[in-house]
């Protein structure tokens, strides 16, 4: 029977892997999952469940196949099947040596208790959620949980001493029982392998409909828990089956961030129903509890590795910012001893888990506290719960050797130790390995004095996570980490070099973030610029230039380029002149590299450097960078072209910044021919894929803004200017990505800022305004609408708006945009409604402040139709002001009032035509708005005064 099941499962798996089995119907998938779930528990000792023929996607369990709990049953009765199991297993003496069979027997001793034992286990661990770490587990053997889960691994040798003569079975019967258990375990493993193939062949959103059928949930008080993958992890006697179950659970958890993001803890238990968010939160908590129990009890290194990997997947996807605190603390405290486990795979996966913790929702307050705690915290009382370490002495023992080693883990409770994890990772990367954990050194070179390569790589990744999420802690070790990077990049192993370069990039990025204008870090808390200069001087004098020129390893070259681009601009300007020239020469030289990864990284780095204050006014450097970028824009690789377009956008930003300086020498010295070539390349790039197009149109807007009168008057520029503007107009109107259209609207607004362009008289004027008015009234994306309204309010002269008919079309389009400011089917767009109306108000008031006498009748006619609506929105604008961060939006009430008053004064100064009543009507309209606004503001002030009295 078991062999038949094995073969059937292999057949199903082959069909799934080959893509011949299409699970398109719910009935088909539900039937397959029901069969697999039944086979997963085939022959599992102490478990007898009934599975429906079809599983349907639902949030609540459809069945509960567990027998009812029997709390009155004595401990001796509950453990009797385990004794029989022990005797049966001992009959077969041919594999008594350490290995998988022995682990199966010992694990069987723990896990083969009947279903009622699972209920006792739950009750025995009721204090687990209230106290962090493994200290909360009952370790004294009291209660069923103490007996079944923790105490037995340490006393499991006693049952092996039972002689075969005491067994209830003969040798033949015992052999048959053992063979039967082996066949049944293979069926369970086959079912799990088949389930893994099923997961890979269906969409995750379909899979998560069956979440409750395979993932545990916290049972109601007094109710038994439904069977799940964690049932196998905790109860199956075969380590291989437990590992398979954990692999399946990891596959389910992988990529579940969006699904789990709805989870939310609540303290309100008086609901008539359980909300979906609460149910998912309960499931996440139960997964933590069950996996930590499995971690403590597991004896197989391979299965232990899978448990830790599964925990890492859970940590990476769980929404801890919406859950109650302490979940991460429990995982953190229980995983710490395993970093020095005898098996290198366990050690590596433990570091992976720590890396997942420090990268989730970083910076996360709970993790910040964990990083600040002494390195031995949470371990002093947990050694008995960790079968692999008798005492956590390795945390306190400082290895003999260099001065760096002496400071690594010494004085663990010292308050001067800001982050023990940084210390640990540094020691794992650069210090000789300890003898206590030298076993199973997979991946290490023969005779190597360091930790195995996977261990060092994982430690470097954890350091990179810390630098990204908790830079304030990593910055204390800046120079020491610099030495680590130099050591790693100087080694022969390209992987170690690569991870060293990645760490350098993260540290450089962290330093840049500290010095950004919007940084919340106090100046005295930042790393001093001179220290940053020392750090980068050490890098440039070390192996970084060699890595940049290492053509045998292009990935390393690309990563080194990224690292070099993360240098702090304020520090670059203070670097010695020869180091600055070295950086620029290396990057310009690498731009000719044939490898696309290197070329893309170089293009991006040049785009960063061209914004440096000390370089952006250097005409020669800007011209050399422009030529290098234009060459990369012709590359066959989309990634290279995308990076080059981004850098071209940055370079044109530099041109605009240089326009605002009082010294006109840059504009005069910059080559007109190069400017013409940049325009041509940007026009071509605007026809490329969206990744290239979005920055190409940004560059076009800047270039057209930068053009001097001498360029515009040059006949060679006439056609190219027309073509560039047409490229922007077509990009606005085409159904492209919203980012592309936003950039195109912004670019056209940039074009309007150039007073030398013939806006208003040129043939393209009406086309440009028509494109913007079309977008402001009909685009689905409100950010694009806001940007188009902003562009419409940029021209500073009435003549730039063209004829009266064109002016009227713009006015009417803005009024229509008011009417449609809430027309959207996308709920996420509603939060931009207020910002859109604010920008439309600004545009209308701006148009009023420029109006001619011939425009007034059209304005009056529009106000007669929609005046009440416009009045209400303008009053709201005057009262509340901008509710967004839109560029150019006045935020003070005085500025908003002044805008309306300026428009009123301008209308009053217009020489109206004889017999035209529009001027008086518009003035009365504006005066009425100001009167209502000032009366409202005055009454609010008076009310405030009365309240204070």
């Amino acid at each position: 029977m078991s062999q038949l099941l094995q073969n059937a499962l292999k057949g199903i798996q082959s069909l799934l892997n080959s893509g011949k089995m299409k699970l398109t119907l719910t009935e088909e998938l539900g039937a397959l999952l029901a069969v697999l779930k039944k086979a997963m528990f085939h022959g599992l000792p102490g478990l007898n469940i009934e599975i429906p023929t079809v599983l349907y996607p639902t949030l609540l369990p459809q069945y509960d196949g567990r027998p009812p709990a029997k709390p009155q049953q004595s401990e001796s009765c509950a453990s009797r099947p385990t004794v029989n199991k022990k005797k049966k297993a001992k009959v077969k003496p041919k594999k008594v040596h350490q290995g998988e069979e022995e682990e199966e027997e010992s694990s069987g001793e723990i896990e083969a208790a009947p279903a009622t034992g699972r209920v006792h286990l739950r009750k025995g661990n009721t204090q687990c959620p209230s106290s962090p770490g493994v200290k909360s587990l009952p370790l004294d053997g009291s209660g069923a949980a103490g007996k079944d889960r923790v105490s037995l691994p340490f006393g499991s040798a006693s049952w092996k001493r039972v002689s075969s003569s005491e067994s209830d079975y003969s040798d033949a019967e015992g052999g048959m029982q053992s063979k039967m258990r082996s066949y049944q375990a293979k069926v369970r493993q086959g079912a799990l392998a088949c389930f893994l193939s099923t997961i890979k062949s269906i969409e995750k959103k379909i899979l998560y409909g069956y979440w409750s059928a395979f993932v545990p949930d916290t049972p109601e008080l007094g109710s038994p828990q439904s069977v799940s993958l964690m049932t196998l992890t905790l109860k199956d006697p075969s380590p291989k089956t437990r590992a398979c179950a954990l692999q399946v659970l990891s596959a389910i958890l992988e990529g579940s961030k969006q699904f789990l993001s709805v989870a939310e803890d609540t303290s309100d238990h008086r609901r008539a129903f359980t909300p979906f968010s609460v149910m998912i939160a309960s499931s996440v908590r139960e997964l933590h509890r069950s996996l930590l129990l499995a971690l403590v009890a597991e004896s197989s290194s391979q299965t232990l590795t899978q448990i830790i990997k599964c925990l890492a997947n859970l940590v990476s996807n769980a929404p801890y910012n919406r859950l109650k605190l302490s979940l991460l603390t429990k995982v953190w405290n229980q995983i710490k001893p395993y970093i020095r486990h005898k098996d290198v795979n366990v050690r590596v996966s433990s570091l992976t888990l720590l890396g997942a913790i420090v990268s989730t929702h970083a910076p996360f307050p709970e993790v910040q506290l964990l990083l600040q705690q002494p390195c031995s915290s949470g371990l002093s009382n947990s050694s008995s719960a960790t079968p692999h370490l008798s005492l956590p002495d390795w945390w306190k023992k400082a290895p003999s050797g260099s001065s760096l080693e002496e400071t690594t883990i010494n004085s663990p409770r010292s308050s001067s130790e800001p982050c023990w994890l940084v210390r640990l990772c540094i020691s794992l990367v650069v210090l000789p390995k300890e003898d206590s954990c030298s076993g199973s050194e997979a991946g290490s070179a023969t005779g190597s004095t360091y930790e195995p390569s996977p261990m060092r790589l994982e430690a470097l990744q954890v350091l990179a996570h810390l630098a990204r999420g908790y830079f304030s802690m990593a910055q204390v070790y800046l120079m020491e980490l610099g030495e680590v990077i130099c050591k790693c990049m100087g080694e022969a192993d390209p992987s170690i070099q690569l991870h060293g370069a990645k760490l350098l990039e993260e540290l450089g990025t962290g330093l840049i973030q500290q010095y950004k204008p919007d940084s919340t870090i106090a100046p005295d808390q930042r790393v001093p610029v001179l220290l940053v200069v020392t750090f980068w001087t050490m890098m440039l004098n070390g192996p970084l230039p060699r890595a940049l020129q290492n053509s045998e390893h292009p990935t390393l070259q690309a990563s080194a380029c990224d690292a070099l681009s993360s240098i702090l601009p304020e520090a670059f300007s203070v670097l010695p002149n020869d180091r600055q020239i070295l950086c620029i020469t290396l990057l310009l030289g690498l731009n000719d590299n044939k490898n696309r990864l290197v070329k893309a990284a170089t293009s991006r780095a040049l785009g960063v450097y061209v914004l440096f204050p000390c370089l952006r006014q250097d005409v020669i450097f800007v011209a050399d960078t422009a030529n290098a970028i234009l060459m990369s824009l012709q590359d066959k690789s989309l990634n290279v072209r995308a990076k080059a377009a981004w850098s071209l956008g940055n370079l044109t930003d530099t041109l605009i910044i240089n326009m605002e300086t009082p010294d006109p020498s840059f504009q005069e010295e910059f080559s007109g021919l190069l400017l013409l070539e940049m325009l041509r390349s940007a026009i071509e790039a605007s026809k490329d894929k969206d990744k290239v197009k979005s920055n190409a149109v940004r560059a076009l807007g800047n270039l057209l803004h930068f053009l001097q009168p001498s360029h515009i008057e040059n006949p060679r520029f006439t056609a190219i200017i027309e073509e560039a503007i047409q490229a922007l107009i077509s990009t606005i109107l085409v159904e492209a990505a919203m980012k592309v259209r936003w950039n195109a609207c912004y670019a056209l607004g940039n074009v309007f800022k150039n007073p030398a362009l013939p806006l208003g008289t040129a043939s393209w004027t009406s086309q440009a305004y028509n494109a913007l008015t079309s977008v402001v009234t009909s685009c689905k994306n409100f950010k694009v609408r806001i940007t188009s309204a902003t562009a419409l309010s940029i021209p500073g002269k009435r003549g730039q708006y063209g004829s009266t008919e064109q002016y009227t079309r713009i006015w009417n389009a803005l009024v229509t945009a008011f009417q449609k400011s809430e027309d959207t089917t996308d709920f996420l767009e509603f939060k931009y409604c207020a910002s859109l109306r604010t920008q439309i108000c600004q545009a209308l008031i701006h148009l009023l402040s420029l109006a001619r006498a011939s425009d007034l009748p059209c304005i009056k006619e529009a106000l007669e139709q929609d005046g009440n609506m416009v009045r209400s929105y303008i009053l709201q604008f005057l009262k509340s002001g901008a509710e967004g961060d839109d560029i150019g939006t006045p935020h003070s009430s005085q500025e908003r009032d002044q805008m309306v008053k300026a428009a009123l004064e301008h209308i009053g100064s217009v020489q109206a035509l004889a017999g035209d009543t529009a001027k008086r009507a518009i003035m009365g309209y504006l005066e009425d708005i100001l009167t209502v606004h000032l009366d409202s503001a005055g009454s609010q002030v008076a009310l405030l005064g009365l309240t204070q009295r």
Side-chain angles (χ1 to χ4, degrees):
M1 178 64 181
S2 295
Q3 286 182 320
L4 181 63
L5 283 172
Q6 285 180 54
N7 292 330
L9 290 167
K10 284 179 183 177
I12 295 172
Q13 188 180 4
S14 298
L15 289 171
L16 287 167
N17 291 340
S18 64
K20 293 180 180 178
M21 182 181 282
K22 303 294 183 183
L23 300 170
T24 53
L25 299 177
T26 304
E27 291 281 341
E28 292 175 353
L29 179 59
L32 174 62
L33 292 177
V35 169
L36 294 180
K37 185 165 185 180
K38 179 70 175 177
M40 280 178 204
F41 300 99
H42 176 72
L44 188 66
L47 197 65
N48 185 21
I49 59 171
E50 292 295 328
I51 307 287
T53 54
V54 178
L55 293 179
Y56 292 97
T58 178
L59 300 179
L60 298 173
Q62 295 175 281
Y63 58 88
D64 196 349
R66 294 237 173 198
K70 299 178 182 178
Q72 71 276 11
Q73 188 180 15
S74 65
E75 274 186 21
S76 58
C77 294
S79 60
R80 190 172 298 144
T82 304
V83 175
N84 291 339
K85 181 77 174 177
K86 289 185 290 188
K87 291 179 180 179
K88 284 185 261 184
K90 183 61 188 173
V91 172
K92 194 174 182 180
K94 64 179 180 180
K95 288 194 178 180
V96 185
H97 59 278
Q98 291 184 349
E100 182 171 319
E101 287 298 325
E102 184 180 20
E103 288 169 352
E104 285 191 20
E105 291 171 352
S106 60
S107 298
E109 168 66 15
I110 311 165
E111 307 295 348
T116 51
R118 181 68 181 84
V119 179
H120 285 299
L121 171 61
R122 174 80 187 161
K123 292 180 178 179
N125 192 36
T126 51
Q127 73 267 37
C128 183
S130 63
S131 56
V134 293
K135 292 183 285 186
S136 60
L137 297 172
L139 304 177
D140 56 355
S142 61
K147 287 180 176 295
D148 288 351
R149 295 296 309 161
V150 179
S151 300
L152 285 172
F154 302 101
S156 59
S158 59
W159 65 266
K160 294 183 181 180
R161 290 193 293 269
V162 178
S163 66
S164 59
S165 60
E166 296 173 27
S167 172
D168 294 337
Y169 299 97
S170 66
D171 288 348
E173 289 174 328
M176 286 297 294
Q177 289 287 332
S178 177
K179 190 177 290 186
M180 180 62 69
R181 286 197 300 272
S182 175
Y183 285 143
Q184 289 170 343
K186 286 179 180 177
V187 170
R188 297 196 295 273
Q189 291 160 21
L192 289 165
C194 202
F195 188 22
L196 193 59
S197 296
T198 306
I199 291 171
K200 293 175 182 177
S201 64
I202 60 175
E203 292 182 49
K204 282 293 175 76
K205 63 181 181 181
I206 297 174
L207 172 68
Y208 293 140
Y210 300 91
W211 175 272
S212 58
F214 298 98
V215 180
D217 187 17
T218 306
E220 295 292 330
L221 190 64
S223 302
Q225 191 172 34
S226 58
V227 291
S228 66
L229 288 166
M230 282 311 303
T231 309
L232 290 171
T233 303
L234 291 168
K235 296 183 70 64
D236 200 290
S238 165
K240 189 173 180 181
T241 310
R242 297 198 296 272
C244 288
L246 288 160
Q247 279 184 315
V248 172
L249 184 57
S250 282
I252 293 173
L253 290 172
E254 191 174 350
S256 62
K257 188 184 287 282
Q258 186 177 358
F259 173 72
L260 296 180
S261 64
V262 300
E264 187 171 18
D265 272 321
T266 177
S267 55
D268 182 12
H269 297 296
R270 300 178 181 178
R271 297 173 183 262
F273 66 97
T274 302
F276 179 71
S277 59
V278 175
M279 193 187 87
I280 296 298
S282 171
S283 184
V284 170
R285 282 197 309 273
E286 181 60 21
L287 274 173
H288 280 79
R289 190 193 74 85
S290 302
L291 285 169
L292 289 179
L293 277 177
L295 181 73
V296 171
E298 188 55 63
S299 59
S300 164
S301 296
Q302 290 81 3
T303 311
L304 196 57
T305 302
Q306 289 299 329
I307 293 171
I308 299 170
K309 285 181 178 178
C310 197
L311 272 169
N313 255 334
L314 176 60
V315 168
S316 298
N317 292 285
Y320 294 101
N321 54 333
R322 295 168 60 89
L323 302 173
K324 292 175 183 175
L325 296 178
S326 82
L327 285 178
L328 283 173
T329 303
K330 292 170 184 174
V331 176
W332 182 276
N333 286 337
Q334 242 176 280
I335 200 59
K336 283 165 80 173
Y338 292 88
I339 300 169
R340 295 288 178 168
H341 191 275
K342 63 183 180 180
D343 188 278
V344 67
N345 294 317
V346 174
R347 300 207 301 277
V348 171
S349 56
S350 299
L351 273 181
T352 305
L353 176 53
L354 286 175
I357 292 173
V358 298
S359 60
T360 184
H361 305 291
F364 196 54
E366 184 181 356
V367 176
Q368 199 144 6
L369 290 173
L370 291 170
L371 288 168
Q372 290 170 341
Q373 73 182 13
C375 61
S376 60
S377 175
L379 291 171
S380 56
N381 298 324
S382 64
S383 60
S384 59
T386 309
H388 317 294
L389 293 172
S390 57
L391 284 173
D393 293 335
W394 61 272
W395 284 96
K396 304 176 184 179
K397 182 179 70 175
S400 58
S402 64
S403 59
L404 176 65
E405 296 171 27
E406 291 171 8
T407 57
T408 301
I409 318 174
N410 207 11
S411 304
R413 295 188 179 275
S414 169
S415 59
S416 62
E417 184 69 38
C419 182
W420 64 268
L421 187 55
V422 175
R423 249 322 155 203
L424 169 68
C425 290
I426 290 175
S427 69
L428 290 172
V429 174
V430 302
L431 298 187
K433 62 188 175 186
E434 297 181 38
D435 296 334
S436 60
C437 54
S438 59
S440 303
E441 300 296 309
S444 63
T446 307
S448 173
T449 58
Y450 296 108
E451 288 284 348
S453 182
M455 192 74 176
R456 299 177 73 203
L457 293 174
E458 203 62 48
L460 285 168
Q461 285 200 42
V462 174
L463 286 173
H465 290 319
L466 285 165
R468 187 185 305 122
Y470 301 89
F471 185 78
S472 59
M473 294 183 175
Q475 72 180 55
V476 179
Y477 301 91
L478 183 64
M479 296 308 296
E480 196 170 343
L481 288 170
E483 292 177 13
V484 172
I485 292 166
C486 285
K487 176 175 174 54
C488 290
M489 295 187 71
E491 291 193 16
D493 186 350
S495 298
I496 298 289
Q497 289 178 302
L498 180 64
H499 280 73
K502 295 283 187 187
L503 176 56
L504 176 57
E505 183 187 356
E506 293 295 348
L507 288 171
T509 304
L511 290 166
I512 290 172
Q513 295 294 332
Q514 283 195 339
Y515 280 86
K516 278 193 171 180
D518 58 350
S519 173
T520 57
I521 307 296
D524 59 334
Q525 298 295 317
R526 298 172 184 172
V527 179
V529 172
L530 288 178
L531 184 60
V532 181
V533 171
T534 307
F535 173 80
W536 277 105
T537 303
M538 177 170 62
M539 295 297 107
L540 293 169
N541 291 338
L544 181 58
R546 288 200 303 273
L548 284 162
Q549 298 174 76
N550 188 348
S551 57
E552 293 181 6
H553 300 289
T555 307
L556 175 61
Q557 279 183 295
S559 188
C561 278
D562 291 336
L564 196 60
S565 69
S566 68
I567 188 168
L568 182 70
E570 292 87 341
F572 185 87
S573 60
V574 187
L575 280 174
N577 193 46
D578 63 329
R579 299 296 92 184
Q580 292 185 17
I581 293 172
L582 174 66
C583 294
I584 294 167
T585 306
L586 284 169
L587 290 177
L588 288 172
L590 283 170
N591 195 69
D592 295 328
N593 198 293
K594 293 180 181 179
N595 186 277
R596 293 170 183 176
L597 281 176
V598 179
K599 200 165 187 177
T602 306
S603 295
R604 181 188 171 278
L606 287 170
V608 172
Y609 274 50
V610 80
L611 290 173
F612 283 5
C614 63
L615 293 176
R616 65 185 176 215
Q617 289 188 328
D618 185 336
V619 178
I620 296 175
F621 170 71
V622 174
D624 286 344
T625 302
N627 284 313
I629 290 170
L630 293 181
M631 187 173 68
S632 296
L633 271 175
Q634 309 302 319
D635 198 89
K636 293 180 181 179
S637 167
L638 175 60
N639 189 37
V640 173
R641 297 199 305 275
K643 298 291 185 186
W646 179 82
S647 294
L648 183 63
N650 283 6
L651 190 145
T652 56
D653 286 343
T654 290
L655 299 182
I656 301 302
I657 293 169
N658 287 335
M659 280 180 65
E660 298 166 0
T661 58
D663 184 9
S665 59
F666 183 90
Q667 291 97 301
E668 294 169 359
E669 294 176 23
F670 196 78
S671 168
L673 288 174
L674 180 58
L675 201 58
L676 197 64
E677 191 58 38
M678 290 167 69
L679 277 166
R680 286 198 184 101
S681 294
I683 291 168
E684 285 303 311
S686 70
K687 302 170 187 174
D688 206 331
K689 303 288 186 183
D690 284 352
K691 282 184 176 182
V692 181
K693 189 185 294 186
S694 61
N695 284 299
V697 294
R698 174 167 74 103
L700 277 176
N702 284 334
L703 289 168
L704 292 168
H705 182 193
F706 178 76
L707 289 176
Q708 305 302 302
S710 60
H711 299 131
I712 296 170
E713 292 165 6
N714 189 332
R716 300 177 66 177
F717 277 86
T718 305
I720 204 75
I721 290 172
E722 172 83 22
E723 192 178 349
I725 292 172
Q726 291 297 335
L728 291 177
I729 292 169
S730 63
T731 305
I732 290 172
L733 294 174
V734 77
E735 286 296 325
M738 292 305 166
K739 181 181 178 181
V740 175
R741 300 182 76 184
W742 187 96
N743 275 357
C745 290
Y746 187 86
L748 204 52
N750 250 342
V751 175
F752 294 169
K753 291 177 183 177
N754 190 340
L757 286 170
L759 179 63
T761 58
S763 59
W764 47 261
T765 299
S766 59
Q767 292 175 282
Y769 284 126
N770 289 342
L772 290 172
T773 53
S774 170
V775 168
V776 81
T777 55
S778 61
C779 185
K780 295 177 182 178
N781 187 284
F782 274 35
K783 285 186 177 180
V784 178
R785 289 199 208 183
I786 292 167
T787 312
S788 60
T790 305
L792 288 170
S793 62
I794 285 174
K797 296 178 181 178
R798 171 59 187 86
Q800 291 178 315
Y801 282 102
S803 65
T804 299
E805 290 76 15
Q806 181 65 57
Y807 179 94
T808 304
R809 281 197 293 271
I810 295 171
W811 178 277
N812 289 335
L814 289 168
V815 173
T816 305
F818 262 145
Q819 295 169 341
K820 295 184 175 181
S821 61
E822 291 186 359
D823 291 355
T824 178
T825 55
D826 188 350
F827 178 74
L828 296 175
E829 296 296 328
F830 277 108
K831 61 183 177 181
Y832 301 113
C833 288
S835 294
L836 174 59
R837 287 193 288 266
T838 294
Q839 201 57 56
I840 295 171
C841 282
Q842 278 187 258
L844 286 174
I845 295 167
H846 178 71
L847 285 170
L848 281 172
S849 67
L850 297 176
R852 294 173 182 165
S854 59
D855 302 325
L856 300 185
C858 301
I859 296 173
K860 178 191 173 188
E861 184 182 348
L863 291 177
E864 285 174 352
Q865 292 180 1
D866 301 295
N868 291 333
M869 177 194 66
V870 175
R871 180 190 289 109
S872 66
Y873 284 135
I874 293 178
L875 283 170
Q876 187 179 352
F877 165 70
L878 292 171
K879 179 181 177 182
S880 60
E883 299 182 19
D885 54 355
D886 305 305
I887 297 170
T889 303
H891 292 280
S892 69
S893 59
Q894 290 84 1
E895 286 178 309
R896 299 192 296 273
D897 292 351
Q898 190 57 41
M899 285 179 66
V900 180
K901 288 177 182 176
L904 178 59
E905 289 175 9
H906 172 76
I907 297 295
S909 66
V910 171
Q911 295 295 325
L913 301 173
D916 187 5
T917 59
K919 174 180 174 180
R920 173 48 51 195
I922 295 168
M923 287 183 67
Y925 183 82
L926 292 175
E927 287 169 353
D928 179 52
I929 288 174
L930 283 172
T931 302
V932 172
H933 169 63
L934 293 174
D935 286 349
S936 174
S939 62
Q940 286 178 358
V941 170
L943 183 62
L944 182 62
L946 287 171
T947 306
Q948 289 175 343
R949 255 183 260 169

